[in-house]
């Protein structure tokens, strides 16, 4: 029984070393150096090679090396019976929160003399940590999620569904996308949505590039619907040098570095899930395949 690490575009060694230190008993191999494919029970994946999952007959769990899982869910070779888990934790959330605080402080948001009102799209692990930090600094904070909020009122104000989204957008100065990429959220950041925002709102997209219709962002900036944008994720990564987004002074670009998975934090979650898998126990940070996150 073994664990496979397959992330051809990232250095797998820091994760392998962290796994050796937290779980020396777990037999680990690194793609493409796999002695016996039939013994692999868990695969840790990030932009893994096409067709790989079809070659692992004993696979029980796929584990994303990051928080996002669309790269696994979109794999046509993913068997129905294989579970999906992902990495999450305090370090990932703290790093995202730090990035968002810096970007909001640097953004010049039209018409806001006071602290701009933050509207979070998504209220999961990362957005909840960010919301706490913004509230501590006395920003008004709202968040939109899929499931209806509990009736109890509290901070931040929670919205759900299409009407909730419209309500939140109309009161938002800085819109932060922290959604997973699913069929329901793809292309959500489009002109129709920007028209519902407070005029001159500022957009920060740290979710996925495919949440944003990039031409619509340029139109919204031209029409003054938005005052600026900060994009950590784009449809093509890395962006070609001559792409219109790279030269637009109203747009700040970072290169999918808002929050990088810490190998030790990842190793702890992965090792814990490996043990749970072996014991037939429920996994941590397990993905609901139907919901897509
Ligand atoms: P979670 O799975 O913890 O949270 C997802 C949130 O999105 C939940 O609140 C969920 O609602 C909400 N949501 C999902 N679908 C919808 C929908 N259709 N309508 C409204 N709300 C919806 O995710 P994380 O916070 O851990 O991560 C979020 C995303 O951030 C990742 O999927 C990844 O794409 C991105 N990311 C980017 C990084 C970067 O460096 N740029 C680093 C790490 C992650 P509900 O609460 O009702 O379930
Ligand atoms: C992630 C990411 O999903 O790095 O963790 O984007």
């Amino acid at each position: 029984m073994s664990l496979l690490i397959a992330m051809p575009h990232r250095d797998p060694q820091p994760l392998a070393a962290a796994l050796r230190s937290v779980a020396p008993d777990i037999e680990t191999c690194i793609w493409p150096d796999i002695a016996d494919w039939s013994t692999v029970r868990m695969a840790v994946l990030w932009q893994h090679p096409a067709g790989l999952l079809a070659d692992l007959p004993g696979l029980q769990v796929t584990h994303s090396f990051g928080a996002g899982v669309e790269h696994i869910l979109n794999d046509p070779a993913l068997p129905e019976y294989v579970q999906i888990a992902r990495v999450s934790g305090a370090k990932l959330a703290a790093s995202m929160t730090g990035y968002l605080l810096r970007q909001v402080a640097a953004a010049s948001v039209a018409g806001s003399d006071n602290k701009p009102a933050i509207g979070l799209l998504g209220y999961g692990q990362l957005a909840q940590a960010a919301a706490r930090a913004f509230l501590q600094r006395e920003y008004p904070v709202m968040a939109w999620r899929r499931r209806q909020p509990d009736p109890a009122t509290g901070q931040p104000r929670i919205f759900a569904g299409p009407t909730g989204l419209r309500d939140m957008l109309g009161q938002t100065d800085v819109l932060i996308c922290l959604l997973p990429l699913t069929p329901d959220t793809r292309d959500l950041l489009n002109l129709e949505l920007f028209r519902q925002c407070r005029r001159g709102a500022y957009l920060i997209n740290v979710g996925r590039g495919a949440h944003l219709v990039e031409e619509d962002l340029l139109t919204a900036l031209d029409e003054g619907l938005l005052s600026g944008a900060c994009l950590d994720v784009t449809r093509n990564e890395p962006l070609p040098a001559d792409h219109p987004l790279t030269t637009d002074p109203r747009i700040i670009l970072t290169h999918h570095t808002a929050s990088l998975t810490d190998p030790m934090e990842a190793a702890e979650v992965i090792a814990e899930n490996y043990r749970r898998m072996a014991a037939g126990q429920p996994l941590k940070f397990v993905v609901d395949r139907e919901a897509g996150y």
Side-chain angles (χ1 to χ4, degrees):
M1 175 156 153
S2 66
L3 180 146
L4 167 68
I5 302 174
M7 35 189 197
H9 306 288
R10 257 164 124 149
D11 179 4
Q13 293 305 338
L15 175 62
L19 276 167
R20 276 196 299 279
S21 96
V22 298
D25 53 311
I26 296 179
E27 195 185 317
T28 302
C29 54
I30 299 177
W31 180 89
D33 193 7
I34 306 166
D36 183 354
W37 296 67
S38 71
T39 64
V40 174
R41 296 287 177 273
M42 179 185 279
V44 179
L45 307 172
W46 194 258
Q47 297 174 320
H48 58 281
L52 171 70
L53 302 185
D55 292 332
L56 302 171
L59 189 66
Q60 293 178 16
V61 174
T62 51
H63 210 298
S64 175
F65 180 60
V69 290
E70 76 285 355
H71 59 111
I72 299 177
L73 279 166
N74 294 341
D75 184 340
L78 177 71
E80 277 293 319
Y81 55 84
V82 168
Q83 294 192 77
I84 305 171
R86 67 199 188 95
V87 166
S88 190
K91 285 188 183 158
L92 193 72
S95 152
M96 178 60 81
T97 297
Y99 175 92
L100 294 173
L101 288 171
R102 288 193 300 280
Q103 296 302 338
V104 170
S108 56
V109 180
S112 62
D113 296 332
N114 301 319
K115 294 252 163 109
I118 309 290
L120 293 161
L121 295 173
Y123 192 54
Q125 303 289 331
L126 299 178
Q128 288 178 28
R132 280 193 295 275
F134 281 116
L135 286 168
Q136 273 164 10
R137 288 159 182 79
E138 299 184 346
Y139 287 86
V141 182
M142 298 164 285
W144 181 66
R145 64 189 295 187
R146 188 169 63 99
R147 287 169 282 197
Q148 288 299 328
D150 299 334
T153 54
Q155 289 290 349
R157 285 174 61 204
I158 303 289
F159 299 80
T163 318
L165 178 58
R166 204 169 318 116
D167 286 353
M168 187 180 92
L169 293 173
Q171 305 170 59
T172 293
D173 296 311
V174 179
L175 184 65
I176 299 177
C177 178
L178 262 169
L179 288 164
L181 184 63
T182 70
D184 290 339
T185 65
R186 180 178 289 273
D187 297 331
L188 183 85
L189 301 173
N190 58 33
L191 199 51
E192 194 191 326
L193 179 141
F194 298 140
R195 289 198 199 289
Q196 295 170 35
C197 292
R198 255 189 196 165
R199 196 166 176 84
Y202 189 88
L203 172 71
I204 301 180
N205 187 17
V206 278
R208 285 289 183 262
H211 285 132
L212 174 65
V213 180
E214 291 169 352
E215 314 84 79
D216 285 8
L217 169 63
L218 296 173
T219 308
L221 290 167
D222 291 344
E223 292 184 5
L225 302 173
L226 297 180
S227 56
C230 164
L231 308 178
D232 183 55
V233 286
T234 47
R235 284 191 182 241
N236 291 318
E237 292 180 5
L239 269 186
D242 59 349
H243 193 282
L245 293 179
T246 60
T247 49
D248 194 310
R250 301 164 298 184
I251 298 173
I252 291 173
L253 281 176
T254 55
H255 302 283
H256 207 139
T257 49
S259 183
L260 296 175
T261 304
D262 175 76
M264 189 52 85
E265 185 165 75
E268 279 162 7
V269 176
I270 291 163
E272 164 85 24
N273 271 340
Y274 193 86
R275 296 194 201 298
R276 287 177 180 226
M277 173 193 72
Q281 292 168 351
L283 303 181
K284 281 175 86 176
F285 305 122
V286 74
V287 170
D288 172 346
R289 284 180 69 155
E290 207 173 320
Y293 65 100

